[in-house]
Amino acid sequence: MKLYFGSVTNTATTWMILSLMGFIGYSVWNQDAIHYWGRRTLFLLAYGLLICCFAAARDGFDKTVQAAIDGSCAPGLFSLVSIPAIAGYVGAAAILVAAVATVFTRSQHMRELWFYVMSGGVMLKIAVVEIARILG
């Protein structure tokens, strides 16, 4: 429990991740009642970015980058070239592609599909990083 609720940052990040997963689950479950997928995608992008910042602070990823650049501090939980970091890069690429494509998409059906691509990137990042935290 200390891994997820050991500090204020851990607790805030845990609750934000759970709420984002709930938002994605609700959107998938009630997909027939949703009319504006662009708004959902925008919310997913903004809230996901906020959570990503909290998770990076929680795991000390900024320290990992600083240690790789000048070696002035100890690295964080994951190295720059590790499975969680690479999964984060791939997930971020999927999120970015989906966000840009949503802007240029006219139909709600295609926006819905891009929402699912973005959700997949988010879930990939969450699953890999959280599993690595538990195992590591």
Side-chain angles (χ1 to χ4, degrees):
M1 284 308 230
K2 191 174 185 178
L3 187 63
Y4 293 102
F5 299 102
S7 70
V8 174
T9 305
N10 289 2
T11 303
T13 305
T14 300
W15 285 114
M16 287 191 302
I17 288 172
L18 291 174
S19 67
L20 185 68
M21 290 171 56
F23 172 74
I24 292 170
Y26 176 83
S27 298
V28 170
W29 187 263
N30 295 314
Q31 63 188 349
D32 294 333
I34 297 170
H35 300 291
Y36 301 107
W37 286 97
R39 293 176 187 171
R40 290 197 171 268
T41 303
L42 178 63
F43 178 78
L44 182 62
L45 176 68
Y47 194 49
L49 180 61
L50 177 68
I51 293 171
C52 188
C53 292
F54 269 80
R58 173 193 69 187
D59 298 335
F61 198 69
D62 57 330
K63 293 181 174 112
T64 299
V65 173
Q66 184 177 354
I69 292 171
D70 61 11
S72 64
C73 64
L77 191 58
F78 305 118
S79 70
L80 288 177
V81 183
S82 62
I83 292 174
I86 292 170
Y89 306 147
V90 170
I95 291 166
L96 182 62
V97 166
V100 171
T102 301
V103 172
F104 296 107
T105 302
R106 298 268 183 220
S107 73
Q108 288 299 317
H109 177 68
M110 284 306 297
R111 287 182 177 166
E112 179 181 359
L113 292 177
W114 285 118
F115 176 84
Y116 293 137
V117 170
M118 188 180 288
S119 297
V122 168
M123 296 307 287
L124 171 74
K125 289 175 70 168
I126 290 171
V128 171
V129 169
E130 297 307 320
I131 290 170
R133 288 183 74 227
I134 290 170
L135 296 177

